[in-house]
Amino acid sequence: MKKRPIIIDTDPGIDDAVAIAIALFSEELDVKLITTVAGNVSLDKVTYNTLRLLKFFQKEVPVAKGAAEPLIRPLMDASNVHGKSGMEGFDFEEPDDHLLLEENAVNAMRRVIMESDEPITLVPIAPLTNIALLLKVYPEVKANIREIVMMGGSASRGNKGVMSEFNVATDPEAAKIVFNSGLPLVMAGLDVGWNALVLPEDSAKLPQLGEVGRMAYCLFQKYRGGSMKTGLKMYDSCAMAYLLKPEMYEIAETYVDVELAGTMTAGCTLVDLKGYLGQPNNAKVCMSINQELFRTWFLDCIARCI
Ligand code: BDR
Ligand code: CA
């Protein structure tokens, strides 16, 4: 089977770590490049975490460092959710820098996209700063991008603000550029993540599923995205779930825009299901996920890793 070429843009991040594992060990995806962006913790930390993960997974994927800050706003990280390092809870081996490119994320993405025989899918699971910069600096890449499948935004309420989700609210200006880019876009938002759960009985199985399962189990002890007792939310895996098993979702094609000016709602995604804004559709929005299917799929994916 021909694998689908993707670039993951990420800020690991505990849920990023498992999403990356799922992509790297999948038979259907070919991860051409991983780019890093400041988000859950600083750029240096998320880049270091990405290198730590790749060493642990024994995967040789090039890594390029991207933006250290959102386009306009100061970075407000999520170390309260993922721990000080961004990936607390597991003792990773020290990586070297051989996978780290000298090119920055935007130039590396441009090169990989332009050189690819097949259109590339971008999979941002972090603030959209790098993707916005890429589309503005090198608009010619659009011709060879198949679609953007992102984790971010929400069709209901938020986790960073009352109405705003972390990845979009961290850099709303970047998110607005991406939503208005004209590229096919899939949004797997926070509210589907609330049902993409690893329940206590699932967590208990992880250590028996291999090295990655054991790692996930350890990281999950420190992850504040939900609770070990009521279920942990696998937000970033929702993007991979769309790529690998889209039938888990109910999807609406609609128009989405990002609030920039709201004094209390900046970074809110307006999922305009009823067409109030009178704009043509620009996104497929995941509206719900089948929790049972997700749980089985997630454990199967982890079992397929080392
Ligand atoms: C998103 O925010 C981050 O903390 C997670 O890694 C995920 O990408 C969920 O809102
Ligand atoms: Ca993330």
Side-chain angles (χ1 to χ4, degrees):
M1 188 211 308
K2 198 149 189 326
K3 290 185 162 194
R4 176 173 178 166
I6 68 168
I7 296 175
I8 302 176
D9 188 61
T10 182
D11 60 343
I14 291 174
D15 60 327
D16 299 73
V18 272
I20 293 169
I22 290 172
L24 287 174
F25 289 96
S26 133
E27 281 170 6
E28 289 150 64
L29 302 176
D30 178 8
V31 184
K32 295 276 182 204
L33 173 71
I34 300 181
T35 52
T36 59
V37 64
N40 283 325
V41 287
S42 72
L43 180 66
D44 283 342
K45 287 182 183 173
V46 298
T47 306
Y48 175 63
N49 289 344
T50 303
L51 296 173
R52 292 203 286 169
L53 287 169
L54 288 169
K55 177 164 177 131
F56 179 74
F57 298 148
Q58 299 164 40
K59 295 281 183 185
E60 296 283 310
V61 178
V63 176
K65 239 169 138 168
E69 310 179 338
L71 295 181
I72 295 178
R73 303 174 196 239
L75 177 68
M76 311 267 274
D77 74 18
S79 47
N80 57 324
V81 178
H82 302 266
K84 206 162 151 242
S85 69
M87 267 179 9
E88 287 298 307
F90 187 76
D91 203 8
F92 288 95
E93 264 182 58
E94 202 54 34
D96 60 36
D97 276 354
H98 79 280
L99 293 173
L100 189 60
L101 300 173
E102 277 182 21
E103 267 175 319
N104 67 44
V106 172
N107 288 341
M109 281 197 272
R110 176 187 180 277
R111 179 180 49 75
V112 170
I113 294 167
M114 298 311 276
E115 283 174 6
S116 177
D117 294 338
E118 220 188 295
I120 298 272
T121 298
L122 300 182
V123 189
I125 52 174
L128 291 145
T129 321
N130 289 341
I131 309 293
L133 286 168
L134 170 74
L135 299 177
K136 283 293 182 191
V137 179
Y138 298 123
E140 66 272 22
V141 296
K142 289 185 185 178
N144 208 29
I145 293 177
R146 174 167 161 185
E147 64 181 338
I148 299 177
V149 177
M150 62 176 276
M151 188 282 133
S154 173
S156 62
R157 301 172 75 85
N159 61 346
K160 181 154 168 121
V162 178
M163 303 304 288
S164 57
E165 179 280 333
F166 179 81
N167 289 342
V168 170
T170 296
D171 196 342
E173 285 74 18
K176 191 174 178 83
I177 290 169
V178 174
F179 275 104
N180 291 306
S181 66
L183 285 167
L185 196 132
V186 177
M187 172 180 138
L190 185 75
D191 42 349
V192 287
W194 291 332
N195 277 315
L197 290 178
V198 169
L199 294 180
E201 56 266 44
D202 307 323
S203 298
K205 291 183 189 144
L206 286 170
Q208 283 97 58
L209 297 182
E211 285 298 294
V212 173
R214 198 169 62 77
M215 176 206 79
Y217 182 81
C218 293
L219 293 178
F220 288 172
Q221 311 295 322
K222 301 282 176 182
Y223 179 49
R224 298 285 158 268
S227 101
M228 209 65 183
K229 288 203 183 104
T230 53
L232 296 164
K233 294 157 190 159
M234 295 297 111
Y235 296 118
D236 289 337
S237 294
C238 289
M240 306 311 165
Y242 177 83
L243 292 169
L244 296 169
K245 209 169 164 61
E247 60 272 25
M248 276 192 269
Y249 285 110
E250 261 181 53
I251 290 168
E253 286 216 47
T254 185
Y255 177 71
V256 181
D257 210 337
V258 180
E259 175 62 87
L260 301 182
T263 53
M264 290 191 282
T265 53
C268 153
T269 38
L270 293 131
V271 178
D272 190 16
L273 294 171
K274 297 222 167 138
Y276 293 116
L277 302 171
Q279 297 294 327
N281 295 345
N282 62 353
K284 288 183 187 162
V285 177
C286 299
M287 298 300 297
S288 63
I289 190 166
N290 181 315
Q291 194 182 116
E292 288 306 309
L293 285 182
F294 177 85
R295 288 175 54 210
T296 313
W297 169 82
F298 181 84
L299 290 178
D300 285 351
C301 289
I302 299 298
R304 229 172 286 129
C305 302
I306 51 171

